[in-house]
Amino acid sequence: MTTRVELRLMIRRRLADTSAEPLWEDALLDDAIGAGMRRYSTRVPRQAVEDAVVLAGDRVITMPANVNPLRVVRVFDDSGTVWPRWEGSSEDAPAPGSRPRPEASWRAWGQDLVLTRAVPRDGTWRIEHLAHRIEPEDDTTPLDMQPGDDDLLIAVAVAAALERRAITDGKMSAGKGPMHPLAAAARSAQLEADRLFWERLRRARGGVVA
């Protein structure tokens, strides 16, 4: 898997900045990689699993801090049965003290999953959710991305780097001329990143699940 130092070198090649005295500081590129990871994570979140310990009679399951209830995809009880997301109207939304319903489902509110009926027994449930990817903190740990998505992360990181440099240079030349050329380059880089994202998501939707 690709590390930050390897990705930084790829970005330098894209920026034609591989001389012995590079123009782009490592710190700036590392910051751009972090920004790129956040943008990548928004469109390609990491699939994650969290175990939730439940007690018989519970109507509310509080999610850990690292789980966003709005990004929960599937809930399995301790027998492996799926509890689907509740799809009713807001006026008829289940509440912890409301009358139990025959159908087993859940809705997200705050940091909780509110169930339409009580948990039947003590157990451990499986919560599948979409998580933010971890931003790199060193040069040796593999980056938190899907295999083969190097070009995607390079594209968004290059766009972020160009944007930051254009903003910095623009502050020094504000009102002294037309748009900074790096701003135009950043816009082109972002368009390229958007194209790659579109192709990536199209392949994911068009793939065949075995």
Side-chain angles (χ1 to χ4, degrees):
M1 291 292 288
T2 305
T3 62
R4 186 172 68 178
V5 68
E6 292 170 337
L7 191 72
R8 195 165 60 228
L9 179 57
M10 296 177 195
I11 293 171
R12 288 195 183 282
R13 288 171 179 161
R14 187 71 59 90
L15 295 170
D17 188 40
T18 58
S19 66
E21 297 182 0
L23 298 175
W24 298 79
E25 304 87 351
D26 282 355
L28 189 150
L29 294 183
D30 289 346
D31 183 57
I33 290 171
M37 181 62 75
R38 291 190 294 274
R39 298 180 187 183
Y40 171 74
S41 179
T42 299
R43 299 195 185 186
V44 189
R46 177 164 46 86
Q47 295 179 338
V49 175
E50 191 75 23
D51 289 337
V53 176
V54 299
L55 301 177
D58 285 350
R59 289 286 301 274
V60 173
I61 305 175
T62 299
M63 294 291 95
N66 63 315
V67 177
N68 181 349
L70 296 177
R71 304 187 85 183
V72 169
V73 179
R74 278 178 293 271
V75 175
F76 297 85
D77 65 18
D78 59 331
S79 68
T81 301
V82 176
W83 285 46
R85 186 188 298 271
W86 183 76
E87 300 291 353
S89 65
S90 57
E91 293 78 8
D92 195 35
S98 63
R99 175 180 55 82
R101 309 183 189 197
E103 74 281 2
S105 60
W106 57 271
R107 69 180 179 92
W109 189 258
Q111 197 60 25
D112 299 330
L113 301 185
V114 181
L115 309 179
T116 53
R117 69 186 192 195
V119 173
R121 57 191 168 273
D122 296 355
T124 301
W125 288 24
R126 175 186 173 94
I127 311 297
E128 296 182 350
H129 64 104
L130 300 178
H132 289 297
R133 294 184 179 273
I134 300 171
E135 294 182 35
E137 296 181 350
D138 58 59
D139 283 349
T140 58
T141 303
L143 296 173
D144 185 10
M145 64 178 182
Q146 290 289 102
D149 276 357
D150 298 65
D151 281 348
L152 265 176
L153 196 50
I154 290 171
V156 291
V158 166
L162 290 169
E163 288 170 5
R164 281 158 170 71
R165 181 58 63 86
I167 291 172
T168 300
D169 291 357
K171 289 178 180 178
M172 295 184 292
S173 60
K176 298 180 181 179
M179 176 186 293
H180 195 283
L182 285 181
R187 183 176 300 174
S188 297
Q190 186 57 53
L191 289 174
E192 173 64 9
D194 290 341
R195 182 187 66 80
L196 291 173
F197 273 122
W198 183 81
E199 291 183 353
R200 164 72 164 75
L201 295 175
R202 184 181 63 174
R203 289 197 304 270
R205 293 192 186 102
V208 177
V209 179

